[in-house]
Amino acid sequence: MGPKPGVLMLKMMMPYLRDSLESKFTLYPLWEQSDKEGYLAQNAQSIRGLVTWTGSTVDAELLNKLPKLEIVSAFSVGVDKVDLRKCKERGIAVTNTPDVLTDDCADLAIALLLSSMRQVCAADRYVRKGCWPKLGQYPLTYKMSGKRLGIVGLGRIGMAVAKRAEAFSCKISYFARSEKSGVPYKFYDTVLELANNSDMLVLTCALTKETTHIVGRKVLDALGPEGFLVNIARGPVVDEQELVKALIEGRLGGAGLDVFEKEPQVPQELWNMDNVVLLPHVGSGTWDTRRAMADLAVSNLEAHFAGKPLLTPCN
Amino acid sequence: MVKPGVLMQRCLPDFQALLEPKYRVFPLWEQSDKEAYLAENAESIRGLIASAAMWVDAALIDKLPKLEIVSKTGVGVDRVDLHKCKERGIAVTNTPDVGTDDCADMAIGLLLATMRNICAADRLVRKGLWPKLENYPTFAHKMSGKHLGIVGLGRIGLAVAKRAEAFGCKISYLARAEKSGLPYKFYATVLELAKNSDMLVLTCALTKETTHLVGREVLDALGPEGFLVNVARGAVVDEQELVKALVEERIAGAGLDVFENEPQVPQELWNMENVVLLPHMACHTRNTVKGILELVVSNLDAHFSGKPLLTPYLDD
């Protein structure tokens, strides 16, 4: 039994993950080092694995400093910050953590729908400011049950949102690249038509060239002054400037947003609105899911070093 | 033909507009001397609109010798002296069903808002703190797939169960008696229910039996990773014990739409990140309030035209 394989961890993502890595591998904690360059140079020959996340970049420059690197294990589902081409060139395996976060993201979409339509956060503020005894009943809000829900993108997360919304007797329709057979929901081939026929729009699609700014002024106007938008996809799916205008001018009923075009910047015009809910990209941020992601990231490394098939390779 | 006289305890302008064509409305809230007003008009008052949170006690009923019907807005009749009404042969109607969906929606909304730190995270963003943090400082609790215990499995409890099933929750419940034909596990005590649940949602009526049903023992059984949501009545929970449990972190969090002494909300809760506090609004949507008022009027119409009541709680 030889020494435990060396694994470089770029940042302190989660103590549970760090502890797990430390128990199974020789851990090289990069964030603890004052001289990171020196540290990498010193330990380059021993580092065979690397753990990254959405907050770090694994580019050619870094890869060049790690001649013995065999596997990059991403603690995330997105690998847009990993130079996949360079990894392929070097024969470096790349794994991520899909599926484990589907439920959390779908839960969050429903949470944002309910919180914005029923003004949960605004009413909570009302109570904490002592308004209830002084001003009486909170104003009436919008019912969610029974309304028409349009889902943009019907992947795993979109389907999970639909399943939940069905239990609220919502009438579900969707937009996707193409109609999906065997699905009991109405398909629309443009987001505009979808918005014309929906009381709420939930965005769950991937960010691509086609989906960038797919929700703009026309779509927002189609949703209308009693319509609600929820975005758990990516900020740039929505034309944020138009969204802010629509909300300021009362052309849109309200919005629940977990993502923004220029995170962590959130348009200040929204900070005082009662009909919006603003979250700092918490999509999959629960103990259960982050632990599951950590377990998966570690399992991929273990499988690799044991010569077994990777669990969730993405290249 | 004299329009029947109906006493209104609270100002509801849309409602008054619905009533006035058919009824003579006696607006109690407008009177500086309510006692004298009642004495003066007692002979003319045949109906009473019982608004949310207003008491229709024996004292009031005694002042209204010609009262035939009490028509309550909302579903809860815990503030109507039913015993006295029965004695006097006064019919009581409420408005079940209309608010069921909204209330169940709000129960799920409160579960999610509390477990996923929605209001806390929203506050953080509005204070401009997101750019200063690399990560949101704490993880939240997943709701999907967890064990949900429902206290009271009436219309609202069933509606909550239906929604929670779609989140993959495992549902169990407490009710006065086991209900046949349901795919949910029955527990005969709330303590057993709490021991076996990650979240407890209260949807029961407030009665003698359910007063302070959730006390220290139940909260401890729910435990430091457990969540409580109350859309029933404040008094179902021993509020002092709940505050202590939250202050001492013996439960993970609570989403509350109702309190023991509304509109007073314990100030110890005002700064907590793991609670959500709402001003009794679970079924206050435009759709539902309209439906409630229409049903109240329909019940009055039925009574005064000798037809069967639509939604009697107590028949006359």
Side-chain angles (χ1 to χ4, degrees), chain A residues 36-56:
Chain A
K36 291 177 170 58
E37 292 295 326
Y39 184 75
L40 287 177
Q42 207 173 70
N43 296 291
Q45 296 303 313
S46 313
I47 293 171
R48 295 170 60 195
L50 180 153
V51 176
T52 186
W53 67 324
T54 51
S56 295

Side-chain angles (χ1 to χ4, degrees), chain B residues 223-256:
Chain B
E225 302 266 304
F227 289 85
L228 177 75
V229 161
N230 192 0
V231 292
R233 284 288 182 268
V236 174
V237 177
D238 183 336
E239 203 161 273
Q240 278 197 339
E241 286 296 340
L242 173 62
V243 172
K244 264 200 237 153
L246 285 162
V247 166
E248 294 165 17
E249 295 178 14
R250 287 183 286 111
I251 64 168
L256 310 167

Side-chain angles (χ1 to χ4, degrees), chain A residues 126 129-137, chain B residues 263 270:
Chain A
Y126 185 82
K129 276 191 268 186
C131 294
W132 193 8
K134 297 194 192 99
L135 304 176
Q137 225 165 61
Chain B
W270 289 23

Side-chain angles (χ1 to χ4, degrees), chain B residues 234-299:
Chain B
V236 174
V237 177
D238 183 336
E239 203 161 273
Q240 278 197 339
E241 286 296 340
L242 173 62
V243 172
K244 264 200 237 153
L246 285 162
V247 166
E248 294 165 17
E249 295 178 14
R250 287 183 286 111
I251 64 168
L256 310 167
D257 185 48
V258 287
F259 302 86
E260 289 214 68
N261 297 306
E262 294 170 16
Q264 305 307 325
V265 173
Q267 281 202 327
E268 297 92 320
L269 305 181
W270 289 23
N271 276 327
M272 288 186 183
E273 297 294 283
N274 58 337
V275 302
V276 177
L277 310 167
L278 297 182
H280 202 152
M281 54 190 278
C283 62
H284 292 176
T285 61
R286 293 143 202 263
N287 299 65
T288 292
V289 168
K290 182 162 181 281
I292 286 175
L293 300 183
E294 283 170 359
L295 185 50
V296 166
V297 175
S298 298
N299 273 302

Side-chain angles (χ1 to χ4, degrees), chain A residues 107 118 128 145 164 271 276, chain B residues 105 126 144 163 270 275 282:
Chain A
D107 289 0
R118 301 296 302 273
R128 289 171 197 249
S145 270
R164 283 152 179 73
W271 290 19
V276 304
Chain B
D105 287 0
R126 287 171 198 251
S144 271
R163 284 153 178 73
W270 289 23
V275 302

Side-chain angles (χ1 to χ4, degrees), chain B:
Chain B
M1 167 114 157
V2 178
K3 291 196 252 180
V6 168
L7 180 71
M8 268 181 80
Q9 294 176 299
R10 186 178 260 174
C11 180
L12 298 162
D14 294 334
F15 200 14
Q16 226 174 321
L18 270 180
L19 289 166
E20 262 156 8
K22 293 175 273 197
Y23 299 94
R24 184 180 163 199
V25 175
F26 292 88
L28 187 62
W29 73 90
E30 282 179 9
Q31 315 309 324
S32 38
D33 185 351
K34 292 180 169 57
E35 292 294 325
Y37 184 75
L38 288 175
E40 215 172 270
N41 296 291
E43 294 296 308
S44 312
I45 295 171
R46 295 170 63 194
L48 183 149
I49 312 270
S51 305
M54 305 296 286
W55 290 93
V56 180
D57 53 14
L60 175 60
I61 295 170
D62 282 338
K63 298 188 176 93
L64 303 168
K66 302 290 184 177
L67 189 62
E68 299 167 25
I69 175 168
V70 171
S71 193
K72 173 86 178 42
T73 64
V75 75
V77 290
D78 44 283
R79 294 200 171 179
V80 177
D81 191 334
L82 298 169
H83 189 69
K84 184 85 192 181
C85 286
K86 195 160 185 165
E87 225 177 71
R88 282 269 304 269
I90 296 171
V92 178
T93 64
N94 62 343
T95 59
D97 289 323
V98 196
T100 298
D101 283 339
D102 276 338
C103 204
D105 287 0
M106 192 53 108
I108 301 293
L110 276 171
L111 261 178
L112 285 165
T114 316
M115 294 178 83
R116 296 296 297 269
N117 296 336
I118 305 289
C119 303
D122 173 274
R123 275 194 291 275
L124 183 144
V125 170
R126 287 171 198 251
K127 278 193 234 166
L129 293 177
W130 189 9
K132 304 199 171 83
L133 305 166
E134 200 161 82
N135 252 330
Y136 188 71
T138 184
F139 292 142
H141 287 79
K142 181 173 180 170
M143 179 189 149
S144 271
K146 297 284 177 69
H147 289 94
L148 172 64
I150 304 179
V151 175
L153 207 67
R155 294 177 199 89
I156 297 172
L158 278 170
V160 172
K162 176 179 170 217
R163 284 153 178 73
E165 276 190 285
F167 289 74
C169 288
K170 300 158 188 59
I171 319 272
S172 40
Y173 69 100
L174 166 84
R176 273 168 294 203
E178 186 162 6
K179 309 205 172 208
S180 59
L182 287 177
Y184 315 135
K185 187 165 164 64
F186 172 75
Y187 284 100
T189 69
V190 68
L191 188 61
E192 274 312 292
L193 183 70
K195 281 197 190 140
N196 292 283
S197 301
D198 299 305
M199 307 98 80
L200 224 55
V201 170
L202 313 181
T203 64
C204 56
L206 178 64
T207 63
K208 251 192 309 216
E209 294 76 33
T210 64
T211 300
H212 281 199
L213 182 70
V214 175
R216 192 191 174 98
E217 249 192 329
V218 172
L219 292 167
D220 282 341
L222 195 53
E225 302 266 304
F227 289 85
L228 177 75
V229 161
N230 192 0
V231 292
R233 284 288 182 268
V236 174
V237 177
D238 183 336
E239 203 161 273
Q240 278 197 339
E241 286 296 340
L242 173 62
V243 172
K244 264 200 237 153
L246 285 162
V247 166
E248 294 165 17
E249 295 178 14
R250 287 183 286 111
I251 64 168
L256 310 167
D257 185 48
V258 287
F259 302 86
E260 289 214 68
N261 297 306
E262 294 170 16
Q264 305 307 325
V265 173
Q267 281 202 327
E268 297 92 320
L269 305 181
W270 289 23
N271 276 327
M272 288 186 183
E273 297 294 283
N274 58 337
V275 302
V276 177
L277 310 167
L278 297 182
H280 202 152
M281 54 190 278
C283 62
H284 292 176
T285 61
R286 293 143 202 263
N287 299 65
T288 292
V289 168
K290 182 162 181 281
I292 286 175
L293 300 183
E294 283 170 359
L295 185 50
V296 166
V297 175
S298 298
N299 273 302
L300 290 171
D301 290 348
H303 172 81
F304 288 111
S305 56
K307 299 206 179 90
L309 298 172
L310 281 81
T311 48
Y313 192 85
L314 259 189
D315 247 306
D316 51 0

